[in-house]
Amino acid sequence: MAAKSCFDCVKSIESVYTGGCVAASKDEKRLFTTCNEDIFVLDMASGEKIAELKGDTEIVTTFAVKPDGTHLVAASRSMQISIWDLATFKTVRSFKAHEAPVIAMDIDVSSTLVATGSADSTVKVWDIDRGYCTHNFKGHGGLVTSVKFHPNKDKLCLVTAGDDGMIRVWNLGTRKCEAVLESHVSVVRSIDFTDDDDGAHMVTAGRDSVVNIWSWKRRSLLRTIPVYETIEAAGLLATNTQTGLDAGNNCTRIIYTGGEKGVIRLWDMDTGKEIFEQKKELNAKHAFVDVQYLSQSQHLVGITNDQNLLFYKATKRLERVRQIVGYNEEIIDMAYVGQGQVHLAVATNTEQLRVYNTEDLNCELAYGHSDIILCVNVHSKGSIVATGSKDNTALIWLVNMNAPPNQRVLCVATAVGHAKAVGAVCLAQGASCSFMITGSEDRTVKMWDLSPLSSLFDSPERAAAIVSESGPVKLRSTYTFQAHEKDINSICVAPNDGIFATGSQDKTAKIWDVASGKALGTLQGHRRGVWNVAFSPVDRVIATTSGDRTVKLWSLSDFGCLKTFEGHTNSVLCVEFLTKGTQLMTTGSDGLIKLWNIKDAECVLTLDKHESKIWTLAKQHTEAHIATGGADSVIYIWKDTTQEHIDRLHMEEAKLLEQQQALDNFLSVKDYRNAINLALSLNQPHRLLTIFQDVMMATEHRHLLSADDEADDSAQRGQAAIMGSVSVDQVIGSLAPDQLERLLGYVRNWNTNGKFARIAQATLYCILTQYTSEVILSLPSAKDLISAVQPYSERHFTRLDNLLTDSFIVDYTLHAMDSVNPAGMEALTIGNDDSDYE
């Protein structure tokens, strides 16, 4: 296996919902969620973020999507309403709507009008496309908590409700309140209509624990259904929906409700009887703040107060088919699970174990702990997971993602015995997974016998049956001892299951015998607490990370330090061996991921994408993908692209050689046009400079060898060709904008050297005579290039001007010599002397 040198981030799992409004497009292809002051657009199928609608720095209070899917209307605490074009994801219009924040919003079926209910007790109706207010209704005595257009667009009616329990019906045609419906005694949270042609019945529900059914024609109450819980969302399923329930087979109109109990309940609208109530999962503490009905897919989406989106199939007894986690808080620990290792078991600042599918970002929430999970460890099979928690317990889970939803992550055993939080856990590495080691804030280490679970590990179906009947198996500890003087941060079992290591805040790591629990050695040398320990998969060495910003490699033979890796600027939190034990990957509080070669202790790669400390690092068995997570609540998945990078470099080198040969061929046949274009594309300024010099020198040489009359004609032609060749001038005059900008950059650099100043000035003159100032100034870096060229050009002009001035002394000297001994006098004198002599 070749050493790794390149990793690319291929996916991220980040916060997509932090509480507030959620909506789906009519075609159910997009999901819109509130994330602080922004709105995220998600792909419904994959869960990936498509776009981000940037807010106005204030929290989004509510929003609605046009039924035709063209625009989204959003309101924030700034009292502004923004209309977004969902084709370009840009703001079309923004205006102030109310004197207080908008709480409720609805768009009519024609996608023309939007109604807004505000904390200022008013209701306004707006024309979306034209951006003006068409109606302003006053009458509520408090907050307007719900608004709903009647589904029949011919009726032009709007229903509103407030925190005073009053429901008002407004006629948009007459601009008057047609009726005031009084029955609720608390906040009304939901309004819905039956899906018949006239919307003959209306359903309302609120925090007074009742659901009311009204006759729309008579504006009167038909039935009150007591539900005995605070309702946050209610609505009607499509008529004649088959729920798969015996009790609901004969029901044509079914009401769904969701609220403080955290379960969805179904009711027969005609009889008022409860048809079905979901069974709440063990230790689940969530409540529903909203429930969305997706009529095309027949899904009910429960939005929880802990920022999760739970998808239930309405036609299959409300079976949970999908989960999207909106907010992860800090990522504390994680590991790859499953046979294909496409799932990540993640521990966050919650009591739930979250198992992500990294392909579609679907997430399974597993309930079992009663407090925050601190650590996760996975057996080599990938189906056995151990977790430790602040509730002082450790749990064993079986993961089978092909099982029914409620059996995919199954708690099969509990380990109770520690006096404080369990912060470190590790399973045996052998095929049988016969034991588990746990470490706690009580400074003790316990070994747990897992042999009673061997039959459950081999048969997940049998495990599900036994657990459903008698509950999880209670484990017994084989031994317990105090291991360190301070909290235990990490435990790792060696690949042969013979020894294990512990790392502690007492600045030491210790090696222990698995069978007896006897101490074999102490690794001393770190100046701060030890955060993580990891055994090499091939050599008898162990790596430790510490708060002293170093990673150390230790020998298991004499427990001496072999190497120290320095490079992180803050605490090093996690370490993993890669490439058959020849490399290390580390993460730290500095937000950096570093890849090290063990042989020379050199850092060969640094990845900087996280915005805060990176608590955890997980790798696949094949090491094809690495996952990192930390305090910024984001999980990044990195792909090993070393081979692709090497192949790409080879291809680039081969292409470069071909282009170099082509350039040489062009020059040999004096094809300057193609040669200059190729030199520009190859970004070879020196080669281009050489071409210009050769062309100008060749032209000057031809002029010197020509006869006087031919030289005069040639000189005239040389004046026409600025660069010494008309073809070269033509090439410079026909460059693309990016090529022109690159050539000006070369001129700037050449102009700084007096040796190349002549070429630079000639090129610059050629450019200025063939391009207008508008074209040159339109280049992105034109101003910077001109400001850099100007001072050196002025310096060259001054130098040449001084040289010209100095050259006058030569003319003066020659003239003076002619005055002393005029030309021809010496010859005349010599001629006279010869005549006399003769």
Side-chain angles (χ1 to χ4, degrees), residues 66-93:
K66 273 188 176 183
D68 61 13
T70 58
H71 293 86
L72 179 143
V73 184
S76 71
R77 285 184 182 174
S78 64
M79 279 80 81
Q80 292 286 321
I81 285 183
S82 299
I83 300 174
W84 296 83
D85 186 338
L86 294 180
T88 61
F89 302 113
K90 294 182 178 180
T91 306
V92 176
R93 187 178 293 106

Side-chain angles (χ1 to χ4, degrees), residues 286-485:
H286 67 256
F288 285 129
V289 297
D290 195 9
V291 178
Q292 298 277 336
Y293 176 48
L294 308 182
S295 57
Q296 288 190 14
S297 59
Q298 288 294 317
H299 283 157
L300 284 170
V301 184
I303 297 106
T304 67
N305 58 350
D306 54 1
Q307 295 89 41
N308 296 322
L309 280 64
L310 312 180
F311 290 71
Y312 300 99
K313 192 69 174 179
T315 57
K316 292 185 178 180
R317 301 175 59 89
L318 297 184
E319 177 183 302
R320 190 180 73 244
V321 294
R322 187 182 181 191
Q323 296 179 133
I324 295 178
V325 172
Y327 184 59
N328 272 321
E329 299 188 33
E330 286 196 41
I331 310 298
I332 300 174
D333 201 1
M334 62 183 176
Y336 276 99
V337 297
Q339 293 182 348
Q341 292 213 310
V342 296
H343 293 83
L344 272 174
V346 181
T348 66
N349 273 347
T350 64
E351 65 277 3
Q352 311 151 356
L353 177 64
R354 305 183 177 191
V355 181
Y356 277 98
N357 186 330
T358 58
E359 294 180 345
D360 61 11
L361 303 187
N362 182 31
C363 181
E364 291 291 330
L365 301 181
Y367 298 90
H369 286 288
S370 58
D371 208 336
I372 294 173
I373 299 176
L374 297 176
C375 53
V376 176
N377 185 252
V378 178
H379 184 254
S380 55
K381 288 182 178 179
S383 59
I384 307 170
V385 180
T387 58
S389 167
K390 279 189 174 181
D391 61 8
N392 306 345
T393 67
L395 301 183
I396 303 292
W397 310 78
L398 275 184
V399 178
N400 181 12
M401 302 312 294
N402 297 321
N406 59 346
Q407 297 179 8
R408 290 174 181 169
V409 186
L410 187 66
C411 178
V412 296
T414 61
V416 181
H418 284 288
K420 291 187 178 181
V422 178
V425 63
C426 192
L427 293 165
Q429 301 298 302
S432 61
C433 191
S434 57
F435 65 88
M436 173 179 68
I437 308 289
T438 59
S440 168
E441 289 182 7
D442 62 12
R443 307 171 188 176
T444 63
V445 166
K446 288 179 178 288
M447 176 183 175
W448 307 84
D449 183 14
L450 302 186
S451 56
L453 303 178
S454 58
S455 60
L456 304 184
F457 294 159
D458 296 334
S459 176
E461 294 80 8
R462 183 168 178 269
I466 293 176
V467 170
S468 62
E469 291 179 4
S470 56
V473 177
K474 294 183 179 179
L475 300 176
R476 293 185 178 182
S477 61
T478 304
Y479 53 72
T480 303
F481 58 86
Q482 180 176 339
H484 290 273
E485 299 299 322

